[in-house]
Amino acid sequence: MRQAHAILTFQTDGQGLLDVTPDIHSWLRACDIQMGTVTLFCQHTSASLLINENAAPAVRRDILRWLDMAAPEGDYYEHDSEGSDDMPAHIKSMLTGNSLTVPFADGKMLLGTWQGVYLAEHRADAHRRYVVCHAMGD
Amino acid sequence: MRQAHAILTFQTDGQGLLDVTPDIHSWLRACDIQMGTVTLFCQHTSASLLINENAAPAVRRDILRWLDMAAPEGDYYEHDSEGSDDMPAHIKSMLTGNSLTVPFADGKMLLGTWQGVYLAEHRADAHRRYVVCHAMGD
Amino acid sequence: MRQAHAILTFQTDGQGLLDVTPDIHSWLRACDIQMGTVTLFCQHTSASLLINENAAPAVRRDILRWLDMAAPEGDYYEHDSEGSDDMPAHIKSMLTGNSLTVPFADGKMLLGTWQGVYLAEHRADAHRRYVVCHAMGD
């Protein structure tokens, strides 16, 4: 059993879902571990990781709209010093999560046909985001 | 340290929570790894995995009702080509998650007394669902 | 590759977010594993684990208020035999999750600058809560 880790950097474009599946697969292949699990960990509290459909782009737009509806901007929040999109972003990040562990084989995560791994940017503005990738296996 | 993995298949009955704890325990015992972690990964975007109370069945009914309330069917969604229950299912799947890692010992996950692991079917119709099980340990 | 595990006990004070980051770091350093992943698993269905901002305390108050809004107490629930705060606690626990896996190095989780790991108590009353910690690495 061996392990490898790296921190991948992603530039987001403001609020949206960025498909990071190819980046993780490139890194996994470079690791030269054939089979095991990969843990992805997003080092932010206003961005997160989620798995959802990789086909119809309307699914991703509906997800973003649903999150906006569930945690709207507004004067509901005590914490408002970092902008009106900040506290909604913390809530969306908590709901979708920072940590994913996915089994892999032959350099590919064992995703279902319709699954993609997305880095979710919940802030309005573009940000540089960091995802720790850790693989363990043989 | 060793690892083992398999894909378990479950037939759901339409919307509901299926207790998969015994299936995972059977598989873990067959793996012959005494102690470690097991990663469960649901390969779908309209079904998910969650841990909740395994005693009162009313808890599971309340959870399903809450999810229906949080992501109702309706004409809120741009993506409606796969049926009115599809987009709510994607949202429920995102909220509850596809990946669980649980420490285990002696062939049993270290669950609390009242915890069970459930495969959540969020579509109205019956489906065949796949859960990747991956154990790592000694 | 080696592994270690322990069950950490926390006394909560009733509803709130308890920063357990220092406790996990103390345990990790005692494990004497330099690099790997740590899995944290909360053995309850009315308490959970989440990562959120460790700076402004108002963020944590807003999170608790949002959860109260999303899963309010009331006569919505079929399961009410354990108190009006019980079913909301199960829903909040499901939304925020029981299992976290975080890469670590040199005895510290690779958290972002503003991230802390919180044990979320969703019941009104004080409780003793158990978190399984499992580290794997070299």
Side-chain angles (χ1 to χ4, degrees), chain A residues 8 20-29 38 40 109 117 133:
Chain A
L8 301 191
V20 297
T21 318
D23 306 83
I24 297 163
H25 283 163
S26 298
W27 178 75
L28 268 181
R29 283 190 300 269
V38 59
L40 308 171
M109 294 180 280
V117 178
C133 298

Side-chain angles (χ1 to χ4, degrees), chain B residues 13-26:
Chain B
D13 229 16
Q15 192 182 16
L17 299 179
L18 187 66
D19 186 355
V20 297
T21 317
D23 306 82
I24 296 163
H25 283 163
S26 298

Side-chain angles (χ1 to χ4, degrees), chain A residues 10-15 18 119-121 125-129:
Chain A
F10 297 97
Q11 181 64 42
T12 70
D13 228 15
Q15 192 182 15
L18 186 67
L119 173 62
E121 172 63 72
D125 291 337
H127 280 79
R128 186 178 295 271
R129 300 300 197 177

Side-chain angles (χ1 to χ4, degrees), chain A residues 1-5 39-45 70-72 76-79 82 86-87 90-91 93-95 98-99 101 132 134 136, chain C residues 1 35-37 50-53 56 58-59 61-63 65-67 69 95-96 100-103 105 110-112 114-115 136-138:
Chain A
M1 298 272 287
R2 293 185 306 116
Q3 63 179 335
H5 80 162
T39 293
L40 308 171
F41 182 76
C42 176
Q43 292 187 305
H44 306 274
T45 60
Y76 319 104
Y77 308 108
E78 179 186 345
H79 177 76
E82 296 172 66
D86 183 59
M87 199 56 229
H90 289 311
I91 292 166
S93 174
M94 171 185 76
L95 286 178
N98 292 85
S99 160
T101 299
V132 185
H134 183 282
M136 204 177 265
Chain C
M1 299 273 287
M35 180 190 144
T37 57
L50 59 90
I51 285 175
N52 225 295
E53 194 186 289
V59 172
R61 291 192 291 266
D62 279 327
I63 283 174
R65 275 189 288 259
W66 186 89
L67 288 167
M69 185 276 300
L95 287 177
T96 50
L100 274 179
T101 299
V102 188
L110 297 172
L111 300 173
W114 307 107
Q115 288 182 316
M136 204 176 267
D138 291 302

Side-chain angles (χ1 to χ4, degrees), chain B residues 29-51:
Chain B
R29 284 190 299 269
C31 279
D32 200 33
I33 299 178
Q34 296 312 304
M35 180 191 145
T37 57
V38 58
T39 294
L40 308 171
F41 182 76
C42 176
Q43 293 186 306
H44 305 276
T45 60
S46 56
S48 62
L49 291 167
L50 59 90
I51 285 176

Side-chain angles (χ1 to χ4, degrees), chain A residues 4-117:
Chain A
H5 80 162
I7 299 184
L8 301 191
T9 307
F10 297 97
Q11 181 64 42
T12 70
D13 228 15
Q15 192 182 15
L17 299 178
L18 186 67
D19 186 355
V20 297
T21 318
D23 306 83
I24 297 163
H25 283 163
S26 298
W27 178 75
L28 268 181
R29 283 190 300 269
C31 279
D32 200 33
I33 299 177
Q34 296 311 305
M35 180 190 144
T37 57
V38 59
T39 293
L40 308 171
F41 182 76
C42 176
Q43 292 187 305
H44 306 274
T45 60
S46 56
S48 62
L49 291 166
L50 59 89
I51 285 176
N52 224 295
E53 194 186 289
N54 57 13
V59 172
R60 301 198 287 282
R61 291 192 290 267
D62 279 328
I63 282 173
L64 293 170
R65 274 189 289 259
W66 186 91
L67 288 167
D68 279 343
M69 184 277 300
E73 295 191 30
D75 51 8
Y76 319 104
Y77 308 108
E78 179 186 345
H79 177 76
D80 56 8
S81 53
E82 296 172 66
S84 61
D85 63 322
D86 183 59
M87 199 56 229
H90 289 311
I91 292 166
K92 293 168 182 179
S93 174
M94 171 185 76
L95 286 178
T96 50
N98 292 85
S99 160
L100 274 179
T101 299
V102 187
F104 70 90
D106 302 322
K108 292 194 80 166
M109 294 180 280
L110 296 172
L111 299 173
T113 312
W114 306 107
Q115 288 182 317
V117 178

